[in-house]
Amino acid sequence: MARLYESRKRILVTGGAGFLGSHLIDRLIGQGHEVLCVDNLFTGTKRNIDHLHNHPLFEFMRHDITMPLYVEVDEIYNLACPASPIHYQHDPIQTTKTSVHGAINMLGLAKRLRAKIFQASTSEVYGDPTVHPQSEDYWGNVNPIGPRSCYDEGKRCAETLFFDYHRQLGLPIKVVRIFNTYGPRMHHADGRVVSNFVVQALRGEPLTIYGDGSQTRSFCYVDDLIEGFLRLMDTDETVTGPINIGNPNEFTIRELAEKTVAKIGGAELITMPLPRDDPKQRRPDISKAKALLGWEPKVQLDEGLDRTIEYFRDFVGQMEEA
């Protein structure tokens, strides 16, 4: 049910045409809020927000947040940044600028407006972890000069900025560390493992496993993730995060490949060398999310994978017809 007009907010979502941003906007509009979607469309796409084109509560602005932004809003969700290795390594300098300059610009806007601001951080701040599962008090094991550093260290610096603005200026902040998320509207060519496997299987191509497939990941369905975002944003100012949001059920990459093949049909598995600094294990400790937000994931991998396959089946079909 839409909220009453008196409680309606005008909310800025940067990266709003991306995978996560578009799902967040759907939820916010469903709550009756006005949403300003800002995106430079580097990895986001208007296809993700086409259904909102004529919605009276939705506005789109093409803008790069490495440049200052002057708007009037009540809250800010900062999701803008390429999030897959293929995309963030394409222009690593711009990736770092998006995380760092973007954070500075959005924090400056929040400071001027005295607005609550949310930062979409990442489990990549833990690097290739030596602690398993990863809890928020773990400082990480990150290579500061490797090919993934533009994203890992950019997000770490953004967290530093958020907490310094909070401590020094009293700015109300919320910081989430996102673990591997999947679902409809993922970019079909972003190189992430779920979209890779599903698209390859639907096209009858071999599924590419990097390394021997024994490395593990924990896969969170997008609807569960967005619910975690909203719950954190609704907490009082004493709850800042960082808070892990992810699904603690852990699978090897080979297990995910085998599940995908079992659901779609017989594609073979091939192996390629493991990329440098690729984490061997990734699993969130979500004790804090449970205690502070009353949150835990509801959609498990088999159900979420079915929904994702359905989306990509339509998408791949449309691409082949074009």
Side-chain angles (χ1 to χ4, degrees):
M1 180 181 294
R3 298 176 184 236
L4 296 175
Y5 179 81
E6 288 77 8
S7 61
R8 176 180 292 171
K9 297 172 185 172
R10 179 166 167 79
I11 299 175
L12 167 63
V13 178
T14 72
F19 164 46
L20 300 182
S22 62
H23 283 280
L24 174 61
I25 288 172
D26 284 345
R27 286 291 304 273
L28 293 172
I29 287 177
Q31 292 179 343
H33 298 303
E34 296 178 36
V35 176
L36 171 60
C37 168
V38 167
D39 204 300
N40 68 354
L41 301 181
F42 174 60
T43 57
T45 171
K46 286 187 177 179
R47 182 178 59 251
N48 288 339
I49 52 174
D50 272 347
H51 61 291
L52 299 170
H53 180 64
N54 292 315
H55 199 290
L57 297 179
F58 177 77
E59 180 182 353
F60 174 75
M61 177 188 296
R62 187 163 185 168
H63 179 83
D64 188 326
I65 65 161
T66 62
M67 305 299 290
L69 179 65
Y70 303 100
V71 293
E72 301 297 321
V73 294
D74 302 305
E75 289 182 350
I76 301 168
Y77 285 83
N78 185 36
L79 275 60
C81 190
S84 73
I86 285 177
H87 289 151
Y88 66 63
Q89 290 173 7
H90 173 74
D91 188 345
I93 295 171
Q94 185 65 19
T95 296
T96 303
K97 285 182 176 180
T98 301
S99 286
V100 178
H101 292 187
I104 291 168
N105 287 330
M106 291 305 102
L107 287 162
L109 177 63
K111 175 189 171 186
R112 179 176 70 83
L113 299 172
R114 298 305 302 170
K116 188 190 305 183
I117 182 168
F118 175 104
Q119 168 67 1
S121 191
T122 172
S123 59
E124 295 293 336
V125 301
Y126 299 122
D128 186 7
T130 58
V131 171
H132 193 74
Q134 295 81 56
S135 61
E136 294 87 350
D137 58 0
Y138 174 53
W139 291 356
N141 177 40
V142 177
N143 178 358
I145 58 170
R148 300 172 70 102
S149 307
C150 59
Y151 186 67
D152 300 6
E153 296 287 36
K155 288 289 191 177
R156 285 162 69 93
C157 184
E159 285 196 16
T160 300
L161 286 161
F162 266 71
F163 279 91
D164 283 338
Y165 267 75
H166 173 67
R167 284 186 289 259
Q168 185 173 334
L169 303 172
L171 193 68
I173 64 166
K174 308 290 177 181
V175 177
V176 155
R177 290 176 177 165
I178 300 168
F179 282 69
N180 293 67
T181 305
Y182 69 101
R185 302 183 198 162
M186 292 183 80
H187 195 291
H188 71 283
D190 67 4
R192 285 189 264 197
V193 66
V194 172
S195 52
N196 260 12
F197 285 170
V198 171
V199 171
Q200 286 174 336
L202 287 171
R203 289 174 170 167
E205 300 170 354
L207 272 62
T208 306
I209 292 177
Y210 293 93
D212 62 6
S214 64
Q215 66 271 37
T216 66
R217 296 292 184 270
S218 304
F219 300 102
C220 185
Y221 189 67
V222 61
D223 290 357
D224 286 332
L225 186 85
I226 299 305
E227 178 65 24
F229 286 9
L230 297 171
R231 290 194 186 197
L232 178 57
M233 200 61 153
D234 280 344
T235 56
D236 65 40
E237 292 191 10
T238 64
V239 180
T240 60
I243 292 185
N244 291 337
I245 297 291
N247 191 318
N249 291 332
E250 189 176 8
F251 297 87
T252 68
I253 297 302
R254 186 169 290 275
E255 285 175 328
L256 176 66
E258 290 168 350
K259 277 183 177 289
T260 305
V261 170
K263 289 176 180 294
I264 296 175
E268 63 175 322
L269 309 182
I270 61 172
T271 59
M272 299 283 285
L274 192 67
R276 182 181 170 190
D277 298 333
D278 193 66
K280 291 180 284 294
Q281 291 181 305
R282 187 60 62 72
R283 178 187 170 200
D285 180 333
I286 61 168
S287 303
K288 189 177 283 190
K290 287 181 177 179
L292 297 177
L293 310 180
W295 178 91
E296 59 184 315
K298 296 180 179 178
V299 179
Q300 298 308 324
L301 184 58
D302 276 309
E303 180 185 354
L305 202 52
D306 287 340
R307 297 184 195 178
T308 306
I309 289 168
E310 183 180 356
Y311 167 79
F312 276 112
R313 197 183 300 277
D314 290 340
F315 181 82
V316 170
Q318 291 169 12
M319 287 185 65
E320 291 175 349
E321 291 171 6

